[in-house]
Structure formats: structure tokens, C-alpha cells
Amino acid sequence: MSHYLPDCLILDILCRLPVESLLRFTCVSKQWCSLISSPDFNSLYTTVNATTPLLVLHHFSVKPKKQQHYSVYNDPDSKTENLTLIKQLKFPFRSSSGKDFRVVGFCNGLFCLADDLYGDIDPIILWNPAIRRSISLPSRPRPTFRCGPLRVFLGFGFDHKTCDFKVVRIAYIRGANGVYMVPPEVEVFKLSTGLWKTVNSKNINGKLDFLYSSIYLNSAIHWVFHCKNEGGKITNSLLVFGLSAETFSEMSLPQELAHVCFLSLTLCGERISVISYEESRNHAPSCDTCVVWVMNQYGKPESWMKEFIVDLRGEITKAIGFVRNGKFLAVEYPGNVLSYDPDSRELKDLDIHGMYHSFFLRKYVESLMLLDGNSGAMTDFELNYELNGGVIPYLMDTVADFFGLRG
């Protein structure tokens, strides 16, 4: 590639450049374009940049106008540091439901988004904001024998064995008696093939939590799971889908959480964290306290530990996740983000506001995923044009955004 520098040094230099520069370099020559677009360079680039401590926080605000926010912050290591905004990612899509796109997950530079509202999901989008390319997953046929809406749960992650992104779709069908049937229908989408396939779900003898929170860790996706025992009592656990074997298993929760309601999942570094919520005494859409549990050794139920309790006197609506310095982020009703220091028990308002259900926090890394052209990905402009049904609706949305006319 160069008469002056060895290829290994050029690779090392390229891996430390911003994505915008690499996109320009693809125009230098066919050889450079082939290198930068290759899966091997993509994997190397993602690995190198994953060491940069960044977070991405998503939320949906309604004032002064309806707007999706994808904000990249530093991930502070010292407790004296605060979250510092690095940049805002431009969100190009408009929800057909008039609501916000739900973030299913974020992995290796790709967001998985769903335009859903407690039921059928269409479309599902994989989006790389760094290179402004995206793909809309094929729609799924609706069962003809259902009685009412489906209840659909999604998960998103990366299969390290096959180096493939996968989306898991778990659909509970409502029967004639109004009860959602078990087992659900389960399908897996592979980015490498662009196709859905059905997987065995016979051992799923319970239902997932209605909060829709899922966690990707160790090449597996995790959901809160409810199952009735022989006595008819509900028992909680984690449902785990291994992306390589494409099989389901269960992971036990602490005994204190076995029969409680209102659980959600997040990550504490590279550890699974389960949050339990105590119902508010005034029956508001918030909770008096939340209890934070962490599994210190993955897959070992005996390693669950109660980390701390956050008391906001009936104002907690949702736990968001952890910052690198150990502080915990939660949403105060009706949608204000607070930072909680477990050591000092100090609460701080971060002046971030949005719909409480919309908040999503993960480690952020840029990548070149979807650049190689083999996935069928479009530019964000092309996909947004397609999703909005053609040129007239798309231009109307564009003009409305430009003049700030959208409500």
C-alpha cells in the first residue's frame, strides 16, 4: 500500500482515525477501499476503538418539540468528574406510529431499533450512525389464527463464533380466551444471510417481562422471565438465548427476587444487574425505592449480591444504568435523569429530560459495520425515503424539520 511505511504500521494508524476520515480514504484507491471495507479491518477497528470510554444515552423528548436524542458522553472514571457531552448523533428516521423508536440494543457500533407500541413490530432497523448506513429487516407474516395483538419481545447481539449480528424475535400469540399462549413463536434474523429462521422454543414454558428490557452479554441475550410452578405460584428467573448454539436456557435470580414484581435489567460494567422496584404508596407511575443487584461471576447464581438501595420517596420510574465511576443513573418522575452516588448517597440532577420509558444507556463505540455493501444496507437518506412511502411524504417531513413545524 505504501513504498515508505510497512502495512502493519499503516493499519495501526488507520485504526486510530475517526470514521469520517476513513470514509474519505475509501476514495483514494481501490486497494484502500477494499481494505477499509473488509470485515477483518472492521473487526480490528472496532476492537481498538472499544477502549475509548464513551457512553451513548438515548431518550425521546416532547418539549419544545418531539425529538429523538442520541447523545454521546464521556464515561468518567473519577467521581469528581461529570458526564460531558461529546456530540449528538443525527437521527434520520421518523416513526410511523408517531411515537419514538425503541432501542432494542447497541452492539459493536450498530443500533437495533423497533418502531413498536406494545405489540406488532414493523419495521426493525439496524443503524450505524457513524457511517450513516442502515438496513430494514424483512417484515414477518402475521399469524392468521390469533385473537388480538401479538406481544413481541426482541433481543440483539453479536455471535462471536460466526462473527454475525443476530436479532431474536419472541412472539406470544393471544388465544380465543384472551390469554397469551405458551410457548411463543421464536425467530432469529442473521445479518449475514438477510433472512429470518424459526428456532425451537418448546422449553419456554413461561412469559417474558412486560418492561421489554433485554441485555446482551457474553454472546447471549437475557430477559426477565416469569414461570408458574406446580402450585401455581409465579417464579422469576432470567431467560437466556445463546447466539452461537441458538438455544434457550434459564439463569436463577436471588431468592429475594424470585416472587417479586417490577424487575428490569441493565449492565454494571461487564456484569448483569437486576433492578427490583417497590410500588409507590400513592400508586403513582413511579416507585418508592429500587434495589440494585449484581451478578459478580457470570452464570453463577451464588454470586448475586445486593449492591445498594436507592430511595427517592416515590419518584423513581426507571433505572437507566451505571457510569464507569460507579454512579448510578435513574429517571425521576416524570422524566428527569438523576445521578446517584452509592457511597455518599448523594443525588444530582443532570438536567436531562425526556419520556421516562425511552431512556437507554450503553457503552458507545464507532465501527464500519454495514460498509462492505454485502448486507443490503442503504444510506440513511435512502431508507428514510423508503420508510416514508416515497418522495412526497419524505419531502414534506424534510421541510417540516427544516422550518421546525413538526409537533
Side-chain angles (χ1 to χ4, degrees):
M1 295 185 62
S2 170
H3 299 296
Y4 306 102
L5 296 174
D7 288 352
C8 60
L9 182 56
I10 292 177
L11 280 175
D12 187 61
I13 294 172
L14 291 176
C15 282
R16 301 177 193 281
L17 295 177
V19 167
E20 291 83 355
S21 298
L22 294 176
L23 293 178
R24 290 196 297 269
F25 291 168
T26 59
C27 302
V28 171
S29 68
K30 289 184 178 180
Q31 190 176 9
W32 277 53
C33 182
S34 177
L35 169 67
I36 294 171
S37 303
S38 69
D40 289 340
F41 179 78
N42 196 346
S43 177
L44 179 62
Y45 184 84
T46 304
T47 301
V48 170
N49 285 273
T51 59
T52 304
L54 296 174
L55 296 170
V56 60
L57 177 67
H58 165 262
H59 69 280
F60 178 68
S61 64
V62 294
K63 295 181 180 180
K65 65 177 182 178
K66 292 181 179 180
Q67 186 175 358
Q68 303 263 3
H69 300 268
Y70 288 80
S71 310
V72 178
Y73 294 88
N74 72 315
D75 190 0
D77 187 32
S78 169
K79 289 197 174 182
T80 60
E81 295 181 74
N82 297 316
L83 287 176
T84 303
L85 181 65
I86 305 298
K87 62 180 176 180
Q88 293 280 1
L89 304 177
K90 184 177 180 181
F91 187 71
F93 310 115
R94 180 177 173 84
S95 170
S96 61
S97 66
K99 305 293 183 180
D100 57 309
F101 274 87
R102 180 169 63 92
V103 181
V104 177
F106 178 81
C107 178
N108 291 1
L110 284 189
F111 283 99
C112 180
L113 310 173
D115 186 8
D116 66 346
L117 185 62
Y118 308 114
D120 299 352
I121 297 177
D122 190 18
I124 301 170
I125 295 173
L126 299 184
W127 174 48
N128 186 336
I131 64 171
R132 298 178 294 278
R133 293 185 70 84
S134 45
I135 180 173
S136 180
L137 275 58
S139 299
R140 307 308 308 133
R142 306 294 191 254
T144 57
F145 54 87
R146 64 176 181 161
C147 299
L150 300 176
R151 182 170 291 178
V152 181
F153 300 84
L154 296 174
F156 173 64
F158 185 72
D159 181 356
H160 288 277
K161 187 175 181 180
T162 61
C163 295
D164 199 2
F165 288 92
K166 296 182 179 180
V167 178
V168 183
R169 180 180 183 271
I170 302 176
Y172 288 89
I173 300 172
R174 192 173 184 177
N177 58 357
V179 177
Y180 286 95
M181 297 184 291
V182 173
E185 294 183 351
V186 179
E187 294 177 296
V188 175
F189 173 86
K190 297 182 181 181
L191 182 60
S192 61
T193 64
L195 300 173
W196 291 94
K197 78 167 188 177
T198 302
V199 299
N200 190 343
S201 60
K202 292 182 179 179
N203 62 336
I204 303 180
N205 58 349
K207 297 177 181 178
L208 298 185
D209 193 281
F210 197 65
L211 291 176
Y212 294 112
S213 64
S214 64
I215 288 296
Y216 165 75
L217 184 66
N218 291 342
S219 286
I221 303 170
H222 311 74
W223 299 267
V224 176
F225 186 61
H226 308 299
C227 184
K228 284 187 179 181
N229 59 25
E230 294 181 356
K233 192 173 184 179
I234 298 293
T235 301
N236 300 322
S237 63
L238 297 185
L239 183 68
V240 184
F241 183 78
L243 291 174
S244 297
E246 296 186 351
T247 56
F248 287 94
S249 60
E250 287 187 50
M251 188 180 292
S252 298
L253 289 175
Q255 186 58 37
E256 287 186 41
L257 303 181
H259 308 294
V260 302
C261 299
F262 307 115
L263 298 177
S264 66
L265 295 177
T266 186
L267 287 174
C268 179
E270 296 299 318
R271 299 175 297 167
I272 290 180
S273 177
V274 176
I275 317 296
S276 66
Y277 302 83
E278 294 187 7
E279 188 174 0
S280 175
R281 287 183 289 270
N282 60 10
H283 303 289
S286 55
C287 298
D288 290 325
T289 60
C290 69
V291 184
V292 179
W293 292 78
V294 172
M295 177 180 270
N296 288 310
Q297 292 180 279
Y298 182 79
K300 295 186 177 181
E302 64 274 14
S303 70
W304 282 110
M305 180 176 293
K306 185 188 294 185
E307 290 286 297
F308 52 84
I309 299 174
V310 184
D311 188 352
L312 282 183
R313 299 169 299 280
E315 297 300 323
I316 297 174
T317 55
K318 181 181 179 181
I320 302 176
F322 289 86
V323 183
R324 198 160 56 112
N325 59 17
K327 292 184 179 180
F328 180 70
L329 304 187
V331 184
E332 177 188 35
Y333 185 79
N336 308 317
V337 178
L338 300 177
S339 171
Y340 176 77
D341 187 334
D343 296 329
S344 66
R345 297 185 179 181
E346 178 186 5
L347 283 165
K348 181 178 180 180
D349 192 329
L350 298 184
D351 196 28
I352 303 172
H353 313 282
M355 301 295 290
Y356 68 86
H357 67 270
S358 66
F359 285 93
F360 174 91
L361 181 73
R362 288 294 184 273
K363 290 183 178 180
Y364 181 72
V365 61
E366 291 189 340
S367 79
L368 300 167
M369 300 294 176
L370 305 183
L371 184 62
D372 60 5
N374 295 324
S375 61
M378 304 179 182
T379 65
D380 291 346
F381 179 93
E382 292 169 333
L383 183 56
N384 202 25
Y385 173 91
E386 183 177 283
L387 294 177
N388 280 274
V391 64
I392 299 300
Y394 178 77
L395 288 177
M396 290 175 65
D397 285 340
T398 303
V399 171
D401 284 336
F402 182 78
F403 288 103
L405 301 176
R406 186 178 290 178

